[in-house]
Amino acid sequence: MFGKVASDLLGLSDVGAVIKPENYDKVDADDYVMHEDNEKIFFLIKSKTDEYCFTNQALIHLDGTSATSKKRTLHRYSYSNHSISSVLLETAGTVDLDVELNFKIGALAFKIDIHKKHIEEVKDLYKALIKISEITYENNLTLQFAKQSLELASTTVGKINKLEGNLVEQFGALNQTAFSWLVNTQRQYRVKDFGFVFEKYINQ
């Protein structure tokens, strides 16, 4: 009992290690990366029970039930569908042997303990997650403004434009224009591949 309490206090209960790129193919998470779609691992943390694999497209989390069980639950959170937010890094205290990385992806909160010897690598990941969070937040605002702008334009045209001729054809043309505009705006401001961010901040 005392041993467990002591290990918890010192951050030894399930402290993660940062895996080097040359060893990515030796961890389980690599099997679930969509290499066929140009998905690439940029950062990987492995503890006794879990693996946290940050790719250019998603966070892949292999959730282990215990250190002695081989049973794992696979979770995949794409950055385009699950925004990253609330990124925090807690550095180690005098007696601590771990640093703590906290963030939300969608509505789910993560708290990852990593051995403090990896602090420099974790700082790089922290910067990358902060940047992704900022880009996603700004893009979401822009998408909201774009949709509001389209609604305003549609309402204004409806008030001032007197349709003549074939109403069905004109409605179809207007609808197609609005649809194409929304699709193109969505493609522009909904980023699916954040490889450019990881390449800038991750130094391994």
Side-chain angles (χ1 to χ4, degrees):
M1 181 67 178
F2 174 77
K4 182 180 185 305
V5 173
S7 65
D8 288 340
L9 288 174
L10 293 173
L12 296 171
S13 55
D14 194 16
V15 179
V18 175
I19 305 301
K20 295 295 182 183
E22 57 266 26
N23 294 317
Y24 286 164
D25 60 346
K26 298 180 178 66
V27 297
D28 294 333
D30 183 63
D31 295 336
Y32 305 102
V33 175
M34 296 182 180
H35 299 287
E36 301 85 351
D37 297 324
N38 297 316
E39 186 173 22
K40 177 183 176 183
I41 300 174
F42 278 92
F43 206 93
L44 202 149
I45 301 166
K46 180 177 178 62
S47 68
K48 288 188 295 185
T49 59
D50 296 87
E51 290 179 16
Y52 304 91
C53 177
F54 296 86
T55 77
N56 53 321
Q57 299 176 16
L59 167 62
I60 299 172
H61 177 208
L62 279 174
D63 187 0
T65 55
S66 71
T68 57
S69 174
K70 292 185 178 181
K71 187 175 181 179
R72 298 280 189 90
T73 302
L74 175 67
H75 304 276
R76 181 183 175 89
Y77 307 97
S78 61
Y79 307 132
S80 59
N81 294 331
H82 304 84
S83 298
I84 292 176
S85 62
S86 304
V87 184
L88 296 171
L89 176 61
E90 184 178 316
T91 58
T94 305
V95 298
D96 297 320
L97 291 181
D98 65 304
V99 297
E100 188 175 287
L101 180 65
N102 296 275
F103 60 92
K104 285 185 177 180
I105 186 158
L108 188 63
F110 279 87
K111 184 182 78 170
I112 307 175
D113 295 320
I114 309 132
H115 197 286
K116 69 178 181 181
K117 69 181 180 180
H118 299 294
I119 182 60
E120 294 304 320
E121 297 104 306
V122 175
K123 286 178 182 178
D124 293 340
L125 177 60
Y126 168 79
K127 292 177 185 178
L129 295 181
I130 283 286
K131 192 63 178 180
I132 292 173
S133 174
E134 291 176 350
I135 291 172
T136 304
Y137 177 77
E138 292 171 1
N139 283 352
N140 285 339
L141 281 181
T142 302
L143 279 171
Q144 291 178 28
F145 293 152
K147 291 176 181 178
Q148 292 172 8
S149 176
L150 182 63
E151 290 173 0
L152 178 60
S154 177
T155 301
T156 303
V157 169
K159 289 180 179 179
I160 66 175
N161 187 40
K162 293 182 179 179
L163 296 176
E164 297 179 358
N166 192 318
L167 296 180
V168 174
E169 288 183 1
Q170 293 187 45
F171 175 80
L174 288 172
N175 186 61
Q176 183 60 47
T177 299
F179 176 76
S180 298
W181 188 85
L182 279 173
V183 168
N184 291 331
T185 303
Q186 182 84 346
R187 287 175 179 169
Q188 182 179 356
Y189 292 104
R190 189 184 180 196
V191 181
K192 293 185 177 181
D193 188 336
F194 282 95
F196 66 99
V197 174
F198 287 108
E199 288 173 356
K200 181 177 181 179
Y201 292 102
I202 302 296
N203 299 297
Q204 288 190 1

